[in-house]
Amino acid sequence: MTTNSSIGAERLARRMARGCEFLGSEVAIMCGAMSWVSERNLVSAMSNAGGFGLIACGAMNPEQLDKEIAGTRALTDKPFGVNLITMHPQLLELIAVCKKHAVTHVVLAGGLPPAGSLDAIKEFGARLICFAPALSLAKKLIRSGVDALVVEGMEAGGHIGPVSTSVLAQEILPEVSEQVPVFVAGGIGRGEAIAGYLDMGAAGVQLGTRFVCATESIAHANFKKAFIRASARDATASVQIDPRLPVIPVRALKNAAGELFTAKQREVALLLDAGKVEMMEAQLQIEHYWAGALRRAVIDGDVEHGSVMAGQSVGMVKKEEPVAEIIATLMAEAAHALEKRAV
C-alpha cells in the first residue's frame, strides 16, 4: 500500500538522486567545512551516517592534511572530500597530498581558483566543486571545467558574501542547474528548506551550523553551549573598517572577539600603509587571525575572546545529538514537506 509518507520519501529520493550519485553518498547533504570542527571525527561520522563529510583544511600545512586524511580513512570507508582555501600559499602542495590519497572530491573555497589548481585536481580524477557567490562567476567556473557548484548565501557562518541564499538560489539555479549539480548552503536548519531548494533544482544542500553540536563533534562544551543558547540575531557579520584592506566578512556570535578583530584590522592596515607587507600577506594575516581566534573558541572553549563562527540557523540548534539523528530528522522533515505537496 502506498501512503502519503512513502510518496514524500520517494519524491525526496528522486530529487536527491543526482546529488547522491555525484557525491557517492546515501543522502545529498554535505557537512560544511568548518575549521577545527570538520576534522576526522565529524567528517567520518557524517559519511558513516549516509551524508558527505568535508575535511576543513583551512590553515593546515601539507603534513597536517596528510595525517588528517589518513586519520579519516581509518574511521570510514565511505566517500568524503577535502575543502581547500584558494589563497593558501601551499595550495598546489595540498592538492598533491589529495592526489597521494586519491581523494575523490575536492572543494575550492575563498575566491577564484589560481592558475594551475583546477588542472592539478582534475589530473588525478577528483571531482572538483567550487563556490559561486554570483551568477557570472558560476558560469565562468562551469566554462573552466568545474564539476559542481556550491551556492552559499550570507546567512551562513564563517566567511560570507553579500547576497542571501534565497536570492542566489533563484538567480543561479534556473540558469545552471541542468549543466552541473548545484548544492545550496547558508541558513538551512530544517528539512522543509531542503525540500524547497531541491524543488528549485538543487542537487543537494550543505549545512555547517546544524552539525556543530553533533555528539561526534570535538568542539568544546562551551562552544556547543553558546550555539544552543543563541538565537538567529546573535550571529552577526564582522565590519570592514578600511576600504583599502579588503576583508571578507565573517559571521559569528557576538562577543569581545569582534572588537579584537577591529583592532587587528587597524594593525594590518598600518603595516600595509607603511609598505611593510604586500596585499596578499595582509590578507593572509587576517586569515591566520581568524584561524587562531576560531581555535581558541572551538578547542580551548574561550567563547568570549575566541571567534564563535555560526550561521543564522544557529537558533534552530537546540541540543547535542548524534549526526545520524540530525540527518534522520532533516530527511523526515523534507519528506513530510514533499508529502504535503502531493495532497
Side-chain angles (χ1 to χ4, degrees):
M1 180 176 68
T2 300
T3 65
N4 280 343
S5 178
S6 67
I7 291 173
E10 289 165 6
R11 286 188 166 194
L12 180 58
R14 285 200 305 272
R15 284 159 175 74
M16 278 193 168
R18 188 185 186 195
C20 291
E21 187 281 328
F22 177 81
L23 297 172
S25 57
E26 295 173 31
V27 300
I29 299 177
M30 295 195 292
C31 181
M34 302 168 285
S35 292
W36 304 111
V37 178
S38 298
E39 48 74 71
R40 66 189 69 180
N41 291 286
L42 182 59
V43 172
S44 61
M46 186 73 186
S47 293
N48 286 334
F52 191 81
L54 282 172
I55 293 174
C57 179
M60 287 183 191
N61 61 39
E63 293 73 25
Q64 290 169 323
L65 179 60
D66 183 62
K67 292 178 181 177
E68 200 59 44
I69 295 173
T72 305
R73 280 266 166 79
L75 297 173
T76 184
D77 58 0
K78 302 291 180 64
F80 62 88
V82 174
N83 180 293
L84 304 176
I85 306 301
T86 56
M87 68 171 62
H88 197 296
Q90 294 178 290
L91 178 60
L92 292 179
E93 291 94 325
L94 294 168
I95 291 172
V97 172
C98 293
K99 177 180 179 179
K100 170 188 170 183
H101 288 277
V103 171
T104 58
H105 297 70
V106 175
V107 179
L108 290 182
L112 276 173
S117 59
L118 273 65
D119 290 340
I121 293 168
K122 302 281 281 186
E123 183 269 331
F124 68 91
R127 291 185 166 185
L128 174 60
I129 308 168
C130 287
F131 280 75
L135 177 58
S136 58
L137 184 56
K139 291 180 176 179
K140 181 179 178 66
L141 289 166
I142 292 171
R143 287 195 301 270
S144 69
V146 303
D147 298 302
L149 298 172
V150 175
V151 172
E152 182 178 72
M154 52 90 69
E155 300 95 324
H159 293 84
I160 58 172
V163 184
S164 71
T165 304
S166 61
V167 171
L168 283 177
Q170 292 176 76
E171 182 182 26
I172 295 175
L173 285 172
E175 295 286 339
V176 304
S177 62
E178 291 185 6
Q179 299 175 57
V180 297
V182 180
F183 297 85
V184 176
I188 301 173
R190 290 184 57 89
E192 292 88 348
I194 294 174
Y197 288 124
L198 291 172
D199 265 350
M200 291 174 66
V205 293
Q206 176 178 287
L207 287 72
T209 298
R210 188 69 177 83
F211 291 104
V212 167
C213 290
T215 307
E216 298 90 343
S217 164
I218 66 164
H220 195 283
N222 292 347
F223 196 83
K224 293 182 178 181
K225 287 176 184 176
F227 268 57
I228 293 168
R229 289 196 299 262
S231 66
R233 65 177 58 200
D234 293 323
T236 60
S238 61
V239 177
Q240 177 181 308
I241 66 165
D242 191 328
R244 295 166 300 173
L245 181 64
V247 175
I248 300 172
V250 168
R251 187 174 299 286
L253 299 184
K254 288 181 288 188
N255 63 5
E259 297 175 14
L260 294 174
F261 177 56
T262 299
K264 181 63 179 179
Q265 286 188 75
R266 290 197 181 98
E267 174 193 327
V268 174
L270 289 173
L271 292 173
L272 192 64
D273 289 343
K276 295 181 178 179
V277 296
E278 297 293 332
M279 182 60 74
M280 179 64 80
E281 172 61 25
Q283 289 181 305
L284 284 173
Q285 283 199 27
I286 295 294
E287 288 305 307
H288 289 153
Y289 166 83
W290 280 123
L294 185 58
R295 188 188 193 286
R296 284 197 298 275
V298 174
I299 304 300
D300 301 335
D302 184 354
V303 294
E304 186 55 33
H305 300 96
S307 177
V308 187
M309 292 188 187
Q312 290 182 319
S313 62
V314 68
M316 289 174 265
V317 178
K318 302 296 185 183
K319 60 183 178 179
E320 186 174 7
E321 55 188 327
V323 166
E325 290 187 16
I326 298 173
I327 291 178
T329 297
L330 292 170
M331 293 293 284
E333 291 167 348
H336 183 60
L338 293 173
E339 166 198 323
K340 288 192 294 185
R341 295 172 199 178
V343 176

